[in-house]
């Protein structure tokens, strides 16, 4: 790299936008560490042979660390046109096929855009991290892995076990589709500007058998119903769907239980009768 990331940010007058959830990682030691931890946890030596996609590359700290691990190709999707100018410069510096998309990641079907085998990486814009993750989880079987940074509270919800206060819709969908590992927790000082919150990087590796999108859409409908009134007993929260109450009885779930007491697999079994 010819310039430090701080110089690049200054040269492009990249004043962080709160609306776009911009908290940049400008320290190469941290971005390299995130990538190294992800590779190590996946048991691979590099991204060789894999098509990588990064959401919200910003000034490109994580992008550079990922390119150093020689993916077969890199696609970046970024909403901020100031960052697109930085990506155009980076594209000139690398020999790796590099595709730049200026747009809203929520509007892209990444499985169509990126050839397999594919992986996702992102220091996610916090304001859209949950809708982005939910969409990707419904297609989890199509990814080798996803290395994603969230605000700590969201990461806790993703990995929360049954009966824990953080256990909810996101835990059920994540745990039905993937195995998760927390890779590293970062304090606010690691970012420019510093957010008020801590952040956690989570690695998602899809399970061997991932329920299909149709079943997962039903799980989402069911968890929204059940966790929408999480303090209520199932006989109350599911009363608008009598077939669910019958299924609970069939598979030995007490109607006096609350949503947070049901493991992810029970939600899948129940969703199948919607
Ligand atoms: N990857 C950079 C880093 O680690 O320094 C930037 C991370 S910053 C937390 C989130 C990035 O996502 C910003 O560059 C922002 O412009 C971009 N972004 C925000 N909303 C987006 C969206 N809907 N689609 C694509 N990019 C988005």
């Amino acid at each position: 790299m010819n310039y430090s990331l701080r110089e690049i940010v200054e040269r492009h007058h990249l004043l962080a936008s709160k609306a776009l959830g911009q908290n940049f990682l400008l320290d190469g030691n941290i971005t390299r560490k995130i990538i190294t931890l992800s590779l190590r946890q996946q048991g691979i030596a590099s991204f060789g042979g894999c098509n990588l996609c990064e959401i919200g590359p910003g000034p490109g700290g994580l992008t550079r660390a990922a390119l150093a691990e020689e993916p077969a190709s890199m696609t970046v999707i970024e909403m901020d046109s100031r960052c697109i100018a930085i990506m155009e410069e980076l594209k000139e510096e690398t020999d790796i096929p590099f595709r730049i998309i200026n747009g809203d990641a929520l509007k892209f079907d990444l499985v169509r855009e990126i050839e397999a085998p594919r992986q996702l990486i992102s220091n996610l814009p916090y304001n859209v991290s949950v809708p982005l993750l939910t969409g990707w989880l419904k297609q989890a079987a199509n990814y080798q892995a996803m290395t994603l940074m969230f605000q700590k509270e969201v990461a806790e919800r993703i990995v929360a076990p049954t009966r824990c206060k953080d256990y909810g819709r996101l835990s059920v969908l994540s745990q039905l589709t993937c195995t998760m590992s927390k890779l590293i927790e970062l304090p606010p000082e690691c970012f420019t500007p510093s957010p008020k919150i801590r952040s956690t990087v989570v690695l998602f590796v899809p399970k061997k058998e991932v329920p299909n999108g149709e079943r997962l859409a039903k799980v989402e409908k069911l968890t929204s119903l059940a966790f929408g009134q999480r303090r209520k007993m199932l006989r109350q929260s599911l009363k608008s769907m009598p077939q669910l109450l019958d299924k609970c009885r069939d598979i030995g779930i007490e109607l006096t239980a609350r949503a947070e007491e049901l493991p992810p697999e029970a939600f899948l079994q129940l969703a199948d009768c919607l």
Side-chain angles (χ1 to χ4, degrees):
M1 169 180 5
N2 301 327
Y3 301 95
S4 78
L5 272 180
R6 277 186 201 282
E7 283 169 323
I8 291 173
V9 165
E10 277 168 26
R11 190 156 48 81
H12 285 266
H13 309 291
L14 187 56
L15 206 63
S17 147
K18 211 172 180 179
L20 286 173
Q22 292 182 336
N23 297 103
F24 301 130
L25 284 171
L26 302 181
D27 181 342
N29 292 319
I30 296 176
T31 48
R32 272 192 296 277
K33 186 155 188 189
I34 293 170
I35 297 297
T36 308
L37 288 171
S38 173
L39 293 174
R40 192 182 301 157
Q41 184 69 25
Q42 293 182 58
I44 54 178
S46 74
F47 284 127
C50 173
N51 297 301
L52 267 194
C53 176
E54 183 182 4
I55 306 306
L62 204 55
T63 327
R64 286 168 190 275
L67 285 173
E69 299 301 334
E70 307 202 315
S73 71
M74 169 69 97
T75 300
V76 293
I77 305 182
E78 171 59 64
M79 250 172 109
D80 187 338
S81 47
R82 298 170 306 166
C83 303
I84 295 295
I86 299 177
M87 288 300 108
E88 297 288 358
E89 285 180 9
L90 184 53
K91 184 177 177 171
E92 294 301 311
E93 285 176 37
T94 179
D95 293 333
I96 292 168
F98 196 94
R99 183 170 165 220
I100 303 169
I101 300 177
N102 188 187
D104 179 350
L106 280 167
K107 299 196 174 136
F108 285 87
D109 178 350
L110 301 184
V111 174
R112 274 193 171 186
E113 292 290 335
I114 323 285
E115 247 182 78
R118 53 181 90 74
Q119 290 209 17
L120 281 182
I121 58 167
S122 183
N123 168 11
L124 284 165
Y126 293 135
N127 42 351
V128 286
S129 65
V130 172
L132 282 171
L133 175 66
T134 307
W136 299 332
L137 288 174
K138 282 193 265 179
Q139 300 187 313
N142 296 287
Y143 295 97
Q144 274 185 339
M146 304 189 270
T147 306
L148 305 174
M149 170 128 59
F150 300 90
Q151 67 186 81
K152 184 182 170 189
E153 288 68 20
V154 174
E156 297 302 335
R157 282 162 52 199
I158 289 166
V159 300
T162 311
R163 294 174 187 273
C164 163
K165 72 171 174 33
D166 292 328
Y167 182 70
R169 299 173 61 179
L170 208 48
S171 336
V172 172
L173 193 58
S174 303
Q175 293 168 31
L176 278 176
T177 54
C178 296
T179 302
M180 281 77 62
S181 333
K182 285 197 234 171
L183 296 182
I184 190 170
E185 189 178 313
L186 294 175
E189 314 80 83
C190 293
F191 300 85
T192 307
S194 296
K196 290 197 174 67
I197 39 120
R198 294 178 75 82
S199 304
T200 307
V201 181
V202 181
L203 173 71
F204 296 76
V205 176
K207 294 194 162 168
K208 280 213 176 76
E209 302 278 329
V210 179
N212 67 33
E214 200 185 329
R215 291 178 86 195
L216 292 172
K218 288 182 182 176
V219 168
E220 272 206 291
K221 192 170 165 193
L222 174 61
T223 51
S224 135
L225 204 63
F227 287 102
Q229 311 177 57
R230 64 183 294 141
R231 296 308 310 151
K232 297 236 166 89
M233 293 178 191
L234 294 175
R235 73 168 166 232
Q236 180 66 25
S237 57
L238 302 184
K239 74 174 178 203
S240 61
M241 304 217 179
Q243 78 273 32
L244 287 178
L245 298 179
D246 292 341
K247 181 77 179 178
C248 283
R249 287 188 199 97
D250 287 353
I251 59 178
I253 297 171
E254 300 282 347
L255 295 182
T256 51
R258 295 182 168 80
E260 66 196 27
E261 294 172 57
L262 298 197
E265 298 69 27
F267 280 105
L268 188 60
Q269 272 182 295
L270 288 176
D272 283 340
C273 58
L274 283 180

